[in-house]
Amino acid sequence: MTPKFKTRDVAKSLYANYLKRAEECLQAAKNSFAIKGWNAAAINAIHSCIAACDAMCVYFLGKRHAGESHN
């Protein structure tokens, strides 16, 4: 059985906003890592991945996840 995910329609042109967020979070992760802020580095790296996935979904599907959990 395929699980159902709650999604939200997003204009394809907005994918760049999510990509910018991913890049900002990645830079924050790198900065935190450089000063041995391990928790902040991990949290920002995770958020970077989530935003990058959102960018791909918006670009290719015109949708993004809208649930309350990232499972």
Side-chain angles (χ1 to χ4, degrees):
M1 177 184 257
T2 305
K4 296 288 182 181
F5 296 102
K6 187 175 178 184
T7 62
R8 178 177 303 131
D9 291 337
V10 180
K12 182 177 177 176
S13 62
L14 297 178
Y15 82 94
N17 295 348
Y18 296 98
L19 190 56
K20 185 176 188 300
R21 182 180 303 161
E23 291 168 345
E24 288 176 5
C25 288
L26 179 58
Q27 187 59 48
K30 288 179 180 180
N31 292 342
S32 295
F33 187 83
I35 62 169
K36 299 182 181 178
W38 311 125
N39 290 320
I43 290 166
N44 280 293
I46 291 166
H47 282 285
S48 177
C49 292
I50 291 169
C53 289
D54 283 343
M56 288 179 38
C57 288
V58 168
Y59 184 83
F60 290 108
L61 304 173
K63 297 180 182 294
R64 68 177 288 267
H65 184 259
E68 299 197 12
S69 172
H70 295 291
N71 293 341

